[in-house]
Amino acid sequence: MGLDDENKKGEASGETSDRENRLSRMNSESSLSEEDEERKPELGPMIALKEQLEKDKDDESLRRWKEQLIGVVDFEDVGETPDPVVKILHLTVRSPDREEMVLTIPDDGVPNPKGPWFTIKEGSKYTLVFNFRVTNNIVSGLRYNNTVWKTGVKVDSTKAMLGTFSPQAEPYQHVMPEETTPSGIFARGSYSARTKFVDDDNKCYLEINYTFDIRKNWQ
């Protein structure tokens, strides 16, 4: 009986110790969580690029540092608001087998609703080229997203980072890596696609839905 009593006391003491340890760990984790929250940087309001550039404009060393950071900015392309403006001018399909196909972006964002926007030959090498203009403010993390379907089934999905760009008068040009179209009887036919250009803030500058064909020969 004495041993049983001692064992029970020991078990009770162990249970109490375990509870204290668990509470201690919980308090510690809570404290760490609160510290992590406190460490999170608080971002200030977004400021128009023109206002940023005009700050300390008489300080030559600071002006040069800003130019190294964001490049030489054309003030005519800088607005009073903080939001960047990106206009996709056209897409180009380059292939060694034929002349370049320059695809102009319609104002309504609906390319050739009555038929395919373009036709590409099966098994051919091609490169996509994007021409776009940036005004008003710096666009950060501009990305290209493209999804392709055939008969309602998704057959391809591409995501590519284009980069960060400051406003300038001349358009930018981005060349994608070379690809090869599929070939064979099952590859030929009509495809539907959705192309989007978005930035780090998930702001969409262009979204277009269109169709294209893969055929035996160029059209």
Side-chain angles (χ1 to χ4, degrees):
M1 291 292 291
L3 288 174
D4 289 343
D5 291 340
E6 289 298 323
N7 288 337
K8 288 178 181 177
K9 288 179 182 179
E11 290 173 0
S13 176
E15 290 174 1
T16 302
S17 178
D18 288 343
R19 284 198 297 270
E20 289 176 350
N21 289 337
R22 284 197 295 270
L23 287 172
S24 177
R25 285 197 299 270
M26 289 171 64
N27 290 333
S28 177
E29 289 171 0
S30 175
S31 176
L32 287 172
S33 177
E34 290 172 2
E35 289 177 5
D36 290 341
E37 289 293 328
E38 291 176 359
R39 289 198 194 102
K40 286 184 179 178
E42 293 184 5
L43 301 178
M46 194 172 181
I47 302 174
L49 182 59
K50 188 172 185 179
E51 182 181 343
Q52 295 183 43
L53 294 174
E54 287 180 344
K55 283 183 178 181
D56 306 312
K57 62 183 178 181
D58 297 327
D59 188 325
E60 183 68 16
S61 61
L62 187 56
R63 183 185 63 80
R64 289 179 180 175
W65 178 79
K66 287 180 179 180
E67 286 183 357
Q68 291 177 355
L69 185 66
I70 62 176
V72 179
V73 176
D74 190 338
F75 269 88
E76 293 184 1
D77 295 305
V78 176
E80 302 289 345
T81 59
D83 295 323
V85 177
V86 179
K87 183 175 178 59
I88 311 300
L89 303 175
H90 55 261
L91 313 181
T92 302
V93 180
R94 290 178 180 171
S95 177
D97 300 334
R98 57 156 295 151
E99 294 180 354
E100 290 186 353
M101 288 188 290
V102 180
L103 308 171
T104 304
I105 307 297
D107 292 334
D108 60 3
V110 183
N112 195 11
K114 296 182 180 180
W117 197 16
F118 59 90
T119 298
I120 191 166
K121 181 183 176 183
E122 65 174 345
S124 60
K125 294 182 179 180
Y126 71 95
T127 303
L128 292 177
V129 183
F130 310 133
N131 285 74
F132 57 93
R133 191 161 181 256
V134 178
T135 57
N136 204 53
N137 208 337
I138 298 170
V139 59
S140 176
L142 186 63
R143 302 190 307 277
Y144 160 75
N145 298 339
N146 189 65
T147 308
V148 179
W149 295 267
K150 186 180 184 186
T151 61
V153 178
K154 185 166 71 172
V155 294
D156 185 66
S157 181
T158 302
K159 293 183 179 181
M161 174 62 70
L162 307 188
T164 296
F165 305 90
S166 59
Q168 67 175 33
E170 294 299 317
Y172 288 97
Q173 185 177 88
H174 182 88
V175 181
M176 294 287 288
E178 187 180 72
E179 297 187 55
T180 303
T181 56
S183 60
I185 188 171
F186 294 108
R188 295 193 291 270
S190 296
Y191 294 78
S192 59
R194 179 185 298 125
T195 295
K196 294 176 66 175
F197 291 87
V198 297
D199 65 12
D200 275 346
D201 295 323
N202 212 32
K203 180 179 178 180
C204 182
Y205 297 98
L206 177 69
E207 179 175 351
I208 53 173
N209 296 278
Y210 58 94
T211 61
F212 67 94
D213 289 349
I214 294 179
R215 300 295 181 193
K216 265 191 171 185
N217 299 295
W218 294 100
Q219 300 292 314

